[in-house]
Amino acid sequence: MRLDPAHRAEARRIADELASIARTGLVLPGSIAERSTVCGRAGCACMKDPPRRHGPYFQWTRKVAQKTVGRYLTREQSEDYTAWIRNDRRAHELLRRLEELGIDALEADPRTRRQG
Ligand SMILES: [Zn+2]
């Protein structure tokens, strides 16, 4: 079947950007958070006024089969891997856009019949 030229052109742009992300090899799911905590022990600096919280700690988390799993990172790792996560999000965004083009094409296909 024939794609409309605008669809084809956008798909090419998406493919180019996806390829350039993939080529870096720097793709990581999940997210990185910076946290500082209060331990609650009486007399600890985190309980004083003003409080000095523990940390910061850097934590990478992701969902595996509905469960969140995590790893603690150094500050340097957190700086490095933030770009990997950004790449992963962009790659997903690009794939979703490609899917939208597919949905639009199917909806515009004169052979498609409405349901319900
Ligand atoms: Zn404390």
Side-chain angles (χ1 to χ4, degrees):
M1 63 182 278
R2 184 162 274 148
L3 288 181
D4 97 69
H7 181 155
R8 197 195 314 273
E10 186 168 0
R12 282 213 188 95
R13 281 194 300 275
I14 290 169
D16 289 346
E17 191 178 346
L18 266 176
S20 74
I21 290 170
R23 255 194 306 271
T24 67
L26 313 179
V27 175
L28 182 71
S31 58
I32 293 174
E34 180 179 340
R35 296 202 171 84
S36 46
T37 59
V38 171
C39 72
R41 258 192 309 245
C44 184
C46 71
M47 297 303 284
K48 296 220 166 94
D49 191 19
R52 264 194 37 228
R53 297 165 75 97
H54 300 277
Y57 304 106
F58 299 90
Q59 195 181 22
W60 169 65
T61 55
R62 69 186 176 118
K63 284 254 200 264
V64 179
Q66 259 71 273
K67 280 192 184 153
T68 302
V69 298
R71 293 281 182 268
Y72 285 108
L73 308 178
T74 66
R75 179 186 293 276
E76 190 189 9
Q77 280 181 303
S78 137
E79 285 162 8
D80 287 347
Y81 287 107
T82 293
W84 293 43
I85 288 169
R86 206 183 307 122
N87 285 340
D88 184 63
R89 292 195 179 154
R90 183 62 183 154
H92 281 271
E93 214 175 275
L94 291 166
L95 262 183
R96 277 195 299 273
R97 181 60 195 140
L98 207 46
E99 288 176 342
E100 280 169 15
L101 291 171
I103 292 166
D104 291 347
L106 182 137
E107 294 293 353
D109 187 331
R111 296 169 299 177
T112 300
R113 289 193 295 155
R114 297 249 156 235
Q115 243 188 334

